[in-house]
Amino acid sequence: MASAEARLEEVRRELRQFPTSVRELAVPASVPYLDGPPTPLEFQRDWVCPNRPCIIRHALRHWPALGKWSLPYLRAVVGDTEVSVAVTPDGYADAVRGDRFVMPAERRLPLGKVLDVLEGRAAHPGVLYVQKQCSNLPGELPQLLPDLESHLPWASEALGKMPDAVNFWLGEAAAVTSLHKDHYENLYCVLSGEKHFLLHPPSDRPFIPYELYTPATYRLAEDGSFEVVDEEAAEKVPWIPLDPLAPDLIRYPAYERARPLRCTLRAGEVLYLPALWFHHVRQSHGCIAVNFWYDMEFDLRYGYYQLLDTLSRTAGLG
């Protein structure tokens, strides 16, 4: 009879093989492009149900924002409007730094002040990123709403619901979103500039490490210096410590077997980023984007992912 350790090693072997099997069956070698918006049936059947990403061209041509939104336009229309701005010393908000999971300092600034920094007219300590993920577009910048649709009709019909959040994104090239996943069906729309995505399917979970970190927040002092302040009485946060652009393969050797997909999203294009896909995001300087979050269905697919996550952790793979 096999020992417990032998059985555990067999589980590890199966988990290491699982991402390769899924990749051969269901994960594209690169993110596919569509030449126009799919019908609701096509979107649900070909992309949402199989949990596959795609980039949709020519989906925003009727939005005035596509031709109008620029830094000068934002200055003219909403330059005096105060918005929540994430400020970090190195551009990484919500990321592992040392033995802490560190969230950004939050500042309320007129958008014109952010534009001054982006256009080189003024300086500000750290790296600025307008990225408040709580429907900050209708909540903080309602003047911009006439320039775009309140949702993507073909996506809303396919998903059977309206978006849970509509977010506005604007920041410096140094602003980076660390590798993570969300429980949302994400429709990400670039209006100006470019976004650079690195993606992993949920099946790559055995290769992606998680560790527990004490949560903390950057505090920006009057002299422009940053201090890391622990969150009091907060539970530890599970987060991915690995930088996929420069992975530490000595510490995380399993990641060498992962096969990320890379894509660049340009103005006028929409990325469908399925729920539970891991993603790391960079951008061109001054990129302007909007995304729609639709809450995922917590169905059998979610249950399968939770099983994979639990097995990966229990087997010591991440």
Side-chain angles (χ1 to χ4, degrees):
M1 184 174 179
S3 68
E5 182 56 39
R7 290 195 295 269
L8 182 58
E9 185 54 39
E10 185 176 350
V11 170
R12 291 189 184 113
R13 281 196 302 270
E14 291 299 322
L15 285 170
R16 293 187 188 107
Q17 182 58 34
F18 177 73
T20 301
S21 300
V22 173
R23 195 177 302 123
E24 292 172 353
L25 290 170
V27 178
S30 60
V31 178
Y33 282 84
L34 307 183
D35 285 330
T39 66
L41 174 61
E42 290 168 342
F43 185 55
Q44 180 66 235
R45 180 192 64 205
D46 299 338
W47 307 102
V48 177
C49 283
N51 197 236
R52 297 176 71 227
C54 63
I55 293 174
I56 303 134
R57 292 172 167 147
H58 312 305
L60 310 176
R61 286 186 295 187
H62 57 296
W63 285 16
L66 185 58
K68 294 166 68 173
W69 283 16
S70 63
L71 301 190
Y73 178 81
L74 295 180
R75 184 183 297 279
V77 177
V78 289
D80 294 331
T81 303
E82 273 202 354
V83 295
S84 298
V85 183
V87 188
T88 59
D90 58 1
Y92 281 79
D94 298 335
V96 173
R97 285 293 174 261
D99 59 353
R100 296 291 189 268
F101 170 74
V102 189
M103 294 167 281
E106 291 281 351
R107 285 217 159 172
R108 297 286 300 176
L109 296 173
L111 191 66
K113 293 278 189 182
V114 178
L115 298 171
D116 286 342
V117 172
L118 291 174
E119 294 181 330
R121 302 183 185 191
H124 190 284
V127 177
L128 306 184
Y129 199 11
V130 180
Q131 55 121 55
K132 189 75 171 179
Q133 297 157 42
C134 56
S135 264
N136 66 337
L137 180 58
E140 296 187 334
L141 297 167
Q143 307 95 311
L144 297 176
L145 292 178
D147 291 340
L148 72 165
E149 291 177 301
S150 60
H151 66 122
L152 296 172
W154 44 272
S156 298
E157 184 175 342
L159 296 168
K161 64 187 78 174
M162 294 294 284
D164 289 271
V166 184
N167 304 310
F168 175 87
W169 306 79
L170 171 69
E172 303 180 60
V176 176
T177 302
S178 67
L179 188 65
H180 71 290
K181 61 173 172 54
D182 298 308
H183 297 95
Y184 293 101
E185 307 290 358
N186 190 348
L187 279 299
Y188 206 103
C189 313
V190 170
L191 282 309
S192 177
E194 297 179 344
K195 290 273 183 175
H196 309 287
F197 287 82
L198 182 148
L199 309 176
H200 284 284
S203 51
D204 271 0
R205 173 61 183 89
F207 301 147
I208 295 175
Y210 272 87
E211 295 178 12
L212 291 174
Y213 296 92
T214 298
T217 303
Y218 285 117
R219 179 183 294 166
L220 180 57
E222 290 297 324
D223 65 0
S225 63
F226 287 84
E227 179 186 4
V228 174
V229 180
D230 287 348
E231 296 286 307
E232 293 185 7
E235 294 184 0
K236 289 197 171 185
V237 175
W239 205 259
I240 300 167
L242 177 138
D243 179 356
L245 301 183
D248 183 347
L249 297 179
I250 295 176
R251 186 172 181 183
Y252 306 111
Y255 186 75
E256 189 169 19
R257 301 182 64 180
R259 295 293 179 268
L261 282 67
R262 291 175 170 85
C263 63
T264 294
L265 194 65
R266 297 178 173 84
E269 297 178 339
V270 179
L271 171 66
Y272 167 54
L273 178 58
L276 302 178
W277 274 64
F278 299 94
H279 50 288
H280 174 281
V281 192
R282 297 174 297 125
Q283 63 191 346
S284 61
H285 193 72
C287 178
I288 307 170
V290 168
N291 84 304
F292 299 90
W293 269 344
Y294 294 81
D295 202 12
M296 73 172 292
E297 294 295 325
F298 291 88
D299 52 15
L300 192 60
R301 179 181 60 179
Y302 177 75
Y304 281 143
Y305 175 78
Q306 290 299 102
L307 176 61
L308 177 63
D309 180 64
T310 300
L311 288 172
S312 297
R313 283 188 286 106
T314 304
L317 296 183

